[in-house]
Amino acid sequence: MAVPLYQAKAEFFRNLGHPVRIRVLELLQDGPMPVRDLLMEIDVEASSLSQQLAVLRRAGIVTASREGGRVVYALATPDVADLLTAARRILTQMLAGQGQLLAELRAEAEE
């Protein structure tokens, strides 16, 4: 049986739903990186990073290739970077709206 599109989308976003995974994707926006470099940039245990990379790899969000003795990860498609950019824009707008509401509440409290 085919999975409904909305269910597939929910699973895709579920695979993004961890701070370490998001950080990995942010770092990979600048290009492929070996695991060693990812570990230096992200403050987690190697085993934890490995688990999160495996989730992203199984989901097809990142790719892994071997270069000598190193495993190098890359975004599977540039569309992932576009998604992160869109998320940043949405969050900025949401937070700006909250900031405006907070300013209005503070002004009202001073009256």
Side-chain angles (χ1 to χ4, degrees):
M1 274 213 275
V3 174
L5 183 56
Y6 64 87
Q7 214 169 354
K9 287 178 183 178
E11 183 62 26
F12 173 78
F13 282 108
R14 224 180 341 269
N15 285 315
L16 298 178
H18 192 283
V20 171
R21 292 181 217 147
I22 294 297
R23 185 65 184 131
V24 164
L25 297 175
E26 289 174 342
L27 291 168
L28 294 179
Q29 288 181 97
D30 296 330
M33 288 182 80
V35 174
R36 181 193 71 223
D37 292 356
L38 289 169
L39 269 171
M40 286 192 297
E41 293 290 331
I42 304 172
D43 187 28
V44 296
E45 296 290 326
S47 60
S48 178
L49 178 60
S50 179
Q51 289 173 348
Q52 301 311 324
L53 288 167
V55 170
L56 292 170
R57 194 175 56 248
R58 280 192 305 269
I61 298 169
V62 299
T63 60
S65 60
R66 218 169 244 300
E67 293 181 7
R70 309 181 311 169
V71 177
V72 177
Y73 282 86
L75 296 179
T77 172
D79 293 335
V80 175
D82 294 342
L83 178 64
L84 293 172
T85 300
R88 189 176 299 114
R89 254 192 332 270
I90 292 166
L91 285 170
T92 300
Q93 291 169 359
M94 290 170 59
L95 292 173
Q98 290 175 1
Q100 183 179 4
L101 177 61
L102 181 60
E104 290 173 13
L105 288 170
R106 285 182 176 154
E108 188 177 282
E110 292 174 1
E111 293 176 357

